[in-house]
Amino acid sequence: MNKVMKAGLAGLLVSTMLSGAALAETLRLSHNTGDTTTWQQGAEKFGELLSDKTGGAYDVRVFPNAQLAGGDQMRQAEMVGRGALDLVVTSAINVTPLVPEMAVFSLPYLYAGYDQVDATTQGAPAELLEEILRDKGIEVLAWGENGFREVTNNVRPIMSPDDMQGLNMRVAGPMYIDVMNALGANPQQMQWGETMTALQQGVVDGQENPIGAVIIPQQVYEVQKYLTTWHYSYDPIFLGVSTKRWDALDPETQAQMREAAEEAMAYQREITREGTAEGVAFLREQGMEVYEPSEAELQAFRDATQPAFDVWADKVGEDIVGAFRKAIDETGNGS
Ligand code: X2X
């Protein structure tokens, strides 16, 4: 060890002693988008709040791009479930291989707006999913937002279901394969981490993702020409902790952790909605051609995707779909 290193180590020791605190326990948090997204910002906010609320007893190290799961975005939930990861921020769609019921949020055209979304993700319906996830070893701490998923491609503007015919579309999960098939496209399931390169090289023509959480921060506009705001599927994210970790915490720490998660995800939802609201204008400035379908045009997409809705509503089960529909109806905004 050289002099400089020795001095550095001594300094570290002194500052630790001066702060009077025991070394914080570091929890590892995995998420599957890049470090510029609102997923990352929400995860970092959670780390800050947890450290504050626990008086520095815990801190969080955030690992983007599903790197702790070898780049496999679907594997993260299973790893948290068996305690191989402490924490995860991921979207519902990534958990459908483990828990098919999680597809409920993303059923095509289930929601007509944010108030309907909030009535389910921030209300009793989401608790039905939380129970199932708990049985799989994941304690959901709070729900955030990926958002309404919009379609982009490099071939032509999408104005009607016919325009989807024959397009090679990257999709994230199994339900979207059925949705894309219903629209006459050629879906291909692919990791998000591989998608930008695939779009750039023309391996696929298009993809679909939310504007504020992913398309803008991950610069999808650099490799895609056309975007249609078809709002066809909503995707929430959640912040979850391994139940192995959770059950070992005392009630006070549990309360602090849940509070930190709720505040962090509220912040994450807010910045995601802001980014989405400003997003279309920004994307046009970047040279994208954006098409905003009318109500009648949206109805054509709704009709075309109905077969996939029916298949997946069956997989989710009547109890859960019914609870979601009831909460949506009670907002009084129709859909
Ligand atoms: O892979 C995607 O498209 C993403 C980032 O939205 C999800 O995690 C589902």
Side-chain angles (χ1 to χ4, degrees), residues 160-237:
S160 74
D162 272 357
D163 296 323
M164 292 297 293
Q165 287 288 333
L167 292 186
N168 295 318
M169 297 297 299
R170 176 271 172 178
V171 293
M175 191 190 70
Y176 295 131
I177 293 194
D178 291 345
V179 179
M180 288 296 166
N181 279 328
L183 291 165
N186 303 320
Q188 194 176 323
Q189 193 169 336
M190 192 184 286
Q191 298 295 332
W192 174 245
E194 289 163 7
T195 302
M196 287 295 283
T197 312
L199 291 168
Q200 205 155 19
Q201 296 179 346
V203 175
V204 286
D205 301 315
Q207 63 87 46
E208 43 72 58
N209 251 297
I211 290 177
V214 177
I215 288 181
I216 291 177
Q218 298 244 228
Q219 298 179 303
V220 176
Y221 52 85
E222 299 281 4
V223 295
Q224 293 276 269
K225 177 72 185 160
Y226 304 103
L227 182 144
T228 296
T229 53
W230 65 354
H231 315 317
Y232 86 135
S233 174
Y234 179 80
D235 192 22
I237 60 172

Side-chain angles (χ1 to χ4, degrees), residues 32-33 39 73 91 93-94 146 149 170 172 192 209 235:
N32 57 274
T33 58
W39 300 35
Q73 64 193 71
S91 94
I93 210 72
N94 293 316
N146 199 13
R149 304 179 69 92
R170 176 271 172 178
W192 174 245
N209 251 297
D235 192 22

